[in-house]
């Protein structure tokens, strides 16, 4: 190879930069050394972040994408390095997040021979990627990178994996960086519907007296917030948002029902139960929002707008299916809309909101919603919030008030514990000037906390609010409610002193033990120029409500523990739990 | 089995790329569909392959599989075809243990099904038959009176009739 000829790995890094990848997260290893050598030699603009675990690399790329809308790259080695990204790739795949994952691989001649650190990552990840490549020669690289980016970011976004044998990285690449894509089967269609579908939807909407809009991640990804708002206001229809749709319709809007589903608001669930028309804008209608799929909006007209045709009828059979990009569909629909006459319906919903307000306990110890609410006030609802998975996630979703999309970042489909911290790190890289808060639990945080180092090294001022109840709280809640209080494997005895742990990494560590100290301590953390961790000693036993018990329809939303008298559990005295009855 | 699960004919036109078959097979296995037969061959141009899959499963699951297959990056088209819409053919090779005493009877069966003798030895005969799967079933059924040593069938290939696309 002559002096100025590039090798495969160099073509890879240059192609990533050329396509517009601004940041890469990863850890090197034997098979990835050529790629890392190329990072050293030819990288110009792309930022590289050395992380502490490959799962975190994927979550950080994920958090970056969910905060900015732009994909990041993950650069890891073969075998365990690649395998460690699996949870992160799955998380991104389930939530339609674009990502380019580049894995080192054994040399071509050793493939399938159980070489050192060889794993068949191409096949291992096949069900959790939008697409994947196993490179055979270096000349493919510019085309593959271009295709990978295109696939990851168009249609329904998702992760794309590229497996690079070490000797593909080192052999000469004579192909031009300007490559032609060759994807005859790939047909992302933002307008896979005709005018008659739009007319059908408009007609159905005109007939409806009790419409409900469900807005999901698709509405966020297509940047349809303006159109969605116009749509809801013209129609005078209430809007419920999914976990990943949070913020695409302002929580503070009069027509907002906030979240729906298993831990949605009682008024959102009731509105869905009573509606005569449900229109889903970019939500895939998953089991966590449906209750019992066959009973979901049983008597209502169901309209499903989704860019992915495979979502139609997966769980809910729609009356009208409209394959397309949420924004494009709404833009086509808006001119046909008649102003809705839904005053009665809205009045009824106002009644639901008064009857079953979202409140929380304030006495008898510290309660996570109190802390979230204080964060609302201190940040003006402008923070970017990431979460882990579990009770704190649901409280964050329920009580964080946000009026804009791209602000609430949470692992929905996969429900990946440990997501919060690395996602916050990724988000902070993407939005350097903004306040990024990770709400985590003591269980999930310990799964990925090694990346505190990453926050420190890069001086990322992420704020980690650790809701420490010394339990795997959500599982304990289920064991409490549905398994006769047989607490099995949920007591997190042996938790470290998180404040000391933070300090050991060079992170500001603060304890928060009394409700009276909430504003003071949070303020201190928020004002600290670097990363900070607040260990919040919350009440040990507390349940998330409202709740639709598993296997029950939305009609059966309960507001408190069905077996306990209101007020009995510590700290629920003044809480929302006035009745164990169904909400209707 | 008490209830007959319907069999479906699927034709998939796919870019000839590594992993394409595995991705398609996964969409079936993940949803509990059993693939009865699978034929992969070159398409009209070398860059594409034609897969013909016969699989058993319920209608709702099938609709999901068609949509999930269609969504795969390498797949250009995935269609279900009813038996009426298509010409369907299958090829079978049957090795039957037969000595000279019974060879005549076996050849008579072969003749009835327009099967060809492609190999003949003292103790065995190999027949080649083409036709609908049902025809081949019937032939194999009759031959099973003798000792079938080996049976290899290609699985069903289909092509849409007339102007329709497969």
């Amino acid at each position: 190879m002559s002096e100025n000829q590039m090798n495969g790995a160099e073509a890879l890094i240059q192609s990533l930069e050329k396509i517009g990848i601004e940041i890469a997260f990863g850890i090197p290893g034997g098979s990835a050394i050529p790629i890392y050598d190329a990072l050293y030699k030819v990288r110009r603009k792309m930022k590289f972040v050395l992380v502490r675990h490959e799962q975190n690399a994927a979550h950080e790329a994920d958090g970056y994408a969910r905060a900015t809308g732009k994909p990041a790259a993950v650069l890891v080695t073969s075998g365990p390095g690649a395998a460690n990204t699996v949870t992160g790739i799955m998380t991104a795949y389930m939530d339609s997040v674009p990502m380019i994952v580049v894995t080192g691989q054994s040399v071509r001649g050793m493939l399938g021979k159980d070489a050192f650190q060889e794993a068949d990552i191409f096949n291992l990840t096949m069900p959790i990627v939008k697409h994947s490549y196993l490179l055979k020669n270096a000349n493919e690289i510019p085309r593959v990178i271009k295709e990978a980016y295109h696939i990851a970011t168009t249609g329904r976004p998702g992760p794309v994996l590229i497996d690079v044998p070490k000797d593909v990285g080192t052999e000469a690449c004579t192909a031009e960086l300007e490559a032609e894509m060759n994807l005859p089967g790939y047909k992302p269609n933002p307008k896979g519907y005709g005018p008659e579908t739009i007319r059908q939807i408009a007609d159905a909407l005109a007939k409806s007296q009790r419409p409900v809009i469900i807005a999901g991640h698709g509405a966020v990804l297509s940047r349809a917030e303006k159109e969605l708002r116009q749509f809801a206001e013209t129609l005078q229809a209430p809007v419920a948002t999914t976990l990943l749709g949070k913020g695409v319709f302002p929580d503070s809007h009069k027509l907002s029902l906030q979240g729906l589903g298993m831990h949605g608001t009682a008024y959102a669930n009731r509105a869905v139960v009573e509606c005569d028309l449900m229109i889903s804008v970019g939500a895939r209608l998953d089991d966590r929002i449906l209750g019992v799929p066959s009973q979901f909006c049983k008597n209502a007209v169901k309209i499903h707008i989704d860019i992915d045709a495979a979502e139609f009828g997966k769980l809910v059979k729609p009356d009208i299916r409209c394959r397309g990009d949420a924004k494009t569909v709404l833009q086509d629909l808006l001119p046909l809309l008649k102003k809705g006459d839904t005053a009665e319906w809205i009045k009824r919903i106002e009644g639901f909101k008064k009857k079953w307000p979202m409140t929380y306990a304030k006495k008898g110890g510290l309660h996570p919603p109190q802390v979230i609410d204080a964060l609302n006030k201190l940040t003006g609802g402008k923070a970017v919030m990431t979460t882990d998975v579990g009770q704190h996630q649901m409280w964050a979703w329920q009580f964080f008030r946000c009026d804009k999309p791209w602000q609430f970042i949470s692992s929905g489909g996969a429900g990946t514990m440990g997501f919060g911290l690395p996602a916050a790190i990724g988000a902070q890289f993407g939005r350097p000037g903004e306040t990024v808060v990770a709400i985590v639990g003591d269980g999930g945080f310990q799964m990925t906390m090694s990346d505190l180092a990453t926050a420190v090294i890069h001086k990322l001022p992420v704020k980690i609010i650790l809701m420490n109840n010394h339990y795997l709280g959500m599982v304990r809640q289920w064991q409490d409610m549905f398994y006769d209080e047989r607490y099995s494997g949920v007591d997190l005895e042996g938790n470290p002193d998180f404040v000391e742990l933070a300090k050991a990494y060079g992170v500001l560590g603060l304890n928060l033990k009394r409700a009276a100290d909430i504003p003071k301590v949070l303020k201190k953390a928020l004002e600290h120029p670097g990363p900070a961790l607040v260990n919040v000693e919350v009440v040990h036993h507390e349940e998330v409500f409202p709740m639709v018990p598993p296997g029950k329809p939305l009609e059966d939303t309960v507001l408190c523990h069905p077996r306990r008298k209101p007020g009995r559990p510590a700290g629920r005295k003044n809480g929302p739990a006035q009745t164990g009855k169904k909400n209707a | 089995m008490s209830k007959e699960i319907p069999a479906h004919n699927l034709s998939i036109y796919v870019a000839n790329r590594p992993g394409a078959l595995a991705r398609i097979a996964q969409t079936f296995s993940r949803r509990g569909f059993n693939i009865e037969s699978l034929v992969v061959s070159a398409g009209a141009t070398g860059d594409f392959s034609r897969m013909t899959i016969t699989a058993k499963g319920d209608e709702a699951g099938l609709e999901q599989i068609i949509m999930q297959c269609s969504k795969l990056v390498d797949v250009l088209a995935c269609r279900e075809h009813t038996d009426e819409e298509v010409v369907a053919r299958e090829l079978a090779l049957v090795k039957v243990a037969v000595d000279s005493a019974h060879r005549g009877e076996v050849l008579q069966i072969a003749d009835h099904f327009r099967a060809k003798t492609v190999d003949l030895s003292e103790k065995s005969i190999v027949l080649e038959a083409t036709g609908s799967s049902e025809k081949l079933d019937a032939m194999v059924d009759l031959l099973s009176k003798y000792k079938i040593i080996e049976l290899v069938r290609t699985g069903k290939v289909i092509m849409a009739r007339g102007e329709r696309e497969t």
Side-chain angles (χ1 to χ4, degrees):
Chain A
M1 198 161 47
S2 72
E3 273 292 296
N4 37 13
Q5 193 171 42
M6 55 180 180
N7 67 21
E10 289 159 5
L12 177 90
I13 298 301
Q14 289 186 19
S15 297
L16 287 172
E17 291 201 328
K18 187 174 161 51
I19 208 78
I21 297 288
E22 291 168 357
I23 189 165
F25 303 88
I27 305 181
S31 298
I33 292 178
I35 296 168
Y36 276 74
D37 192 45
L39 270 183
Y40 189 96
K41 280 161 72 183
V42 302
R43 177 166 64 99
R44 296 282 174 273
K45 300 170 296 204
M46 188 170 75
K47 196 174 180 66
F48 170 71
V49 180
L50 175 65
V51 302
R52 292 297 181 267
H53 190 285
E54 290 88 350
Q55 180 186 343
N56 293 355
H59 289 328
E60 281 157 28
D62 186 328
Y64 179 88
R66 294 198 212 203
T68 62
K70 294 182 283 191
V74 175
L75 305 175
V76 297
T77 192
S78 61
N84 279 345
T85 64
V86 167
T87 304
I89 296 172
M90 172 195 65
T91 305
Y93 180 74
M94 289 288 273
D95 288 349
S96 314
V97 178
M99 184 184 293
I100 310 278
V101 182
V102 178
T103 53
Q105 182 54 277
S106 305
V107 295
R108 284 166 290 186
M110 289 300 280
L111 289 181
K113 296 181 182 173
D114 296 330
F116 175 65
Q117 292 194 329
E118 185 201 350
D120 183 1
I121 200 68
F122 178 75
N123 278 299
L124 265 171
T125 55
M126 203 172 265
I128 53 165
V129 293
K130 186 168 173 189
H131 196 55
S132 47
Y133 295 89
L134 169 57
L135 295 184
K136 298 280 173 59
N137 66 71
N139 285 337
E140 293 179 280
I141 289 172
R143 173 182 57 79
V144 165
I145 298 292
K146 195 171 180 184
E147 288 178 2
Y149 187 93
H150 178 65
I151 292 166
T153 55
T154 54
R156 179 179 183 171
V160 177
L161 180 134
I162 304 161
D163 201 17
V164 189
K166 190 173 184 178
D167 55 342
V168 170
T170 51
E171 80 176 1
C173 172
T174 52
E176 293 291 320
L177 286 183
E178 192 59 67
E180 289 275 312
M181 291 194 287
N182 180 14
L183 294 170
Y186 184 59
K187 39 207 176 288
N189 191 353
K191 219 166 168 163
Y193 56 90
E196 62 293 345
T197 306
I198 297 295
R199 220 170 302 123
Q200 251 184 314
I201 297 175
D203 288 349
L205 290 171
K207 280 185 211 132
S208 166
Q209 266 135 29
R210 299 187 308 279
V212 162
I213 301 165
I214 296 176
H217 202 199
V220 177
L221 292 168
S222 78
R223 301 186 185 268
E225 61 270 20
K226 208 181 91 215
E227 289 77 8
L228 178 68
R229 188 169 173 160
Q230 224 180 319
F231 178 60
E233 285 174 352
T234 310
L235 210 60
Q236 280 299 300
V239 183
T241 44
T242 66
L243 183 81
L244 299 188
K246 188 173 178 68
V248 74
F249 191 75
D251 280 335
S252 62
H253 197 287
K254 190 174 147 288
L255 290 169
S256 174
L257 297 164
Q258 287 105 39
L260 82 159
M262 185 170 269
H263 290 295
T265 63
Y267 39 92
N269 287 353
R270 193 66 216 171
V272 170
V273 166
E274 291 194 9
C275 74
D276 66 0
L277 179 147
M278 181 284 303
I279 179 163
S280 165
V281 183
R284 69 182 169 92
L285 303 177
D286 80 310
D287 58 288
R288 278 296 186 270
I289 69 166
L290 297 178
V292 178
S294 61
Q295 293 186 48
F296 177 76
C297 291
K298 217 173 12 184
N299 302 314
V301 174
K302 294 178 276 294
I303 304 170
H304 199 168
I305 301 167
D306 206 296
I307 194 142
D308 179 2
E311 288 305 336
F312 301 135
K314 196 153 88 180
L315 289 171
V316 175
K317 210 175 163 74
D319 299 293
I320 304 174
R321 48 181 76 185
C322 178
R323 187 200 173 184
D325 172 77
K327 188 187 183 101
T328 314
V329 173
L330 291 181
Q331 279 170 344
D332 284 347
L333 193 54
L334 281 169
L336 301 188
L337 278 193
K338 295 198 186 73
K339 196 162 166 53
D341 178 20
T342 57
E344 292 260 316
W345 175 230
I346 297 299
K347 214 173 113 197
R348 185 160 172 77
I349 284 167
E350 290 301 323
F352 299 158
K353 287 184 180 176
K354 282 203 187 75
K355 196 166 168 194
W356 308 301
M358 288 301 290
T359 54
Y360 55 84
K362 293 187 180 76
K363 291 190 178 157
L366 255 175
H367 304 277
Q370 285 178 295
V371 180
I372 309 282
D373 206 17
L375 276 170
N376 283 333
K377 293 191 182 87
L378 287 167
T379 63
K382 297 216 160 49
V384 174
M385 184 178 282
T386 73
T387 79
D388 247 80
V389 168
Q391 288 185 312
H392 70 276
Q393 176 193 30
M394 291 298 106
W395 281 312
W397 181 47
Q398 290 176 336
F399 292 99
F400 178 48
R401 288 280 161 270
C402 75
D403 288 347
K404 287 200 173 123
W406 308 95
Q407 226 183 306
F408 184 78
I409 297 171
S410 192
S411 168
T416 303
M417 286 173 71
F419 178 75
L421 172 65
I425 289 171
Q428 188 79 76
F429 271 116
R431 288 159 75 167
E434 297 182 46
T435 305
V436 176
V437 182
I439 308 289
V440 299
D442 47 327
F445 177 67
Q446 292 184 76
M447 293 181 177
T448 55
M449 63 188 182
S450 53
D451 263 49
L452 282 175
T454 308
V456 172
I457 293 162
H458 294 273
K459 300 188 175 62
L460 302 172
V462 290
K463 310 304 172 195
I464 302 146
I465 311 295
L466 197 159
M467 303 292 188
N468 189 352
N469 66 354
H470 302 259
Y471 270 111
L472 295 169
M474 188 57 96
V475 177
R476 197 214 55 231
Q477 175 168 346
W478 281 49
Q479 291 172 345
D480 193 326
M481 292 176 70
F482 313 116
Y483 293 84
D484 294 327
E485 302 181 34
R486 290 188 298 277
Y487 300 139
S488 177
V490 289
D491 187 343
L492 290 176
E493 60 178 337
N495 269 353
D497 179 331
F498 289 107
V499 168
E500 288 300 320
L501 180 94
K503 285 180 189 162
Y505 275 100
V507 171
L508 173 69
L510 301 166
N511 267 314
L512 175 52
K513 294 183 174 171
R514 296 185 315 151
D517 295 337
I518 294 175
K520 192 180 70 188
V521 175
L522 290 184
K523 225 168 153 218
K524 195 168 172 193
L526 289 167
E527 282 168 3
H528 180 65
L533 180 148
V534 182
N535 175 53
V536 190
E537 289 289 339
V538 296
V539 293
H540 289 197
H541 284 259
E542 181 148 15
E543 287 96 31
V544 182
F545 289 103
M547 180 178 195
V548 183
K552 293 280 168 61
L554 296 183
E555 279 88 338
D556 292 1
T557 306
V558 294
L559 300 172
C560 79
H561 199 303
R563 281 199 320 277
R564 271 193 209 133
K565 289 216 163 59
R568 209 195 97 191
R572 292 203 68 85
K573 283 177 196 135
N574 298 333
Q578 285 88 17
T579 164
K581 285 188 214 142
K582 292 174 188 179
N583 70 12
Chain B
M1 216 181 301
S2 56
K3 204 174 138 204
E4 188 65 21
I5 303 166
H8 305 276
N9 306 317
L10 289 177
S11 184
I12 304 174
Y13 199 52
V14 56
N16 188 4
R17 305 275 164 84
L21 173 61
R23 282 181 225 276
I24 289 166
Q26 277 188 357
T27 65
F28 284 81
S29 64
R30 185 171 173 198
R31 289 165 186 83
F33 264 58
N34 223 347
I35 292 181
E36 304 264 297
S37 79
L38 163 69
V39 184
V40 187
S41 58
T45 63
D47 296 341
F48 300 97
S49 299
R50 170 71 64 186
M51 292 187 194
T52 310
I53 297 176
T54 313
K56 280 190 170 175
D58 61 276
E59 293 290 338
L62 180 80
E63 195 189 351
Q64 259 300 303
I65 284 172
I66 292 172
M67 292 194 294
Q68 295 291 345
C69 278
S70 304
K71 171 171 143 178
L72 292 172
V73 168
D74 292 332
V75 171
L76 283 86
C78 173
R79 297 191 186 91
E80 192 202 0
H81 294 286
T82 61
D83 289 339
E84 293 74 41
E85 289 169 3
V86 294
V87 258
R89 288 293 179 273
E90 188 176 354
L91 184 143
L93 294 174
V94 199
K95 190 187 283 177
V96 187
V98 62
D99 52 22
S100 50
H102 295 96
R103 194 175 288 142
E105 295 168 32
V106 169
L107 285 173
Q108 230 174 11
I109 295 172
D111 189 47
H112 176 78
F113 289 97
R114 276 182 242 150
K116 280 191 288 186
T117 307
V118 287
D119 184 68
L120 190 61
S121 73
E122 295 253 325
K123 292 175 183 163
S124 72
I125 183 167
V126 178
L127 301 175
E128 175 204 308
T130 315
S132 70
S133 300
E134 294 71 28
K135 170 181 148 181
L136 300 186
D137 289 344
M139 187 185 83
V140 170
D141 203 35
L142 282 176
L143 289 173
S144 60
K145 218 165 54 166
Y146 311 91
K147 190 174 176 243
I148 296 179
I149 304 168
E150 282 180 320
L151 171 67
V152 179
R153 292 170 69 154
T154 57
K156 192 158 41 168
V157 292
I158 59 172
M159 183 171 279
R161 293 175 186 275
E163 306 308 306
R164 253 186 244 264
E165 274 185 85
T166 308

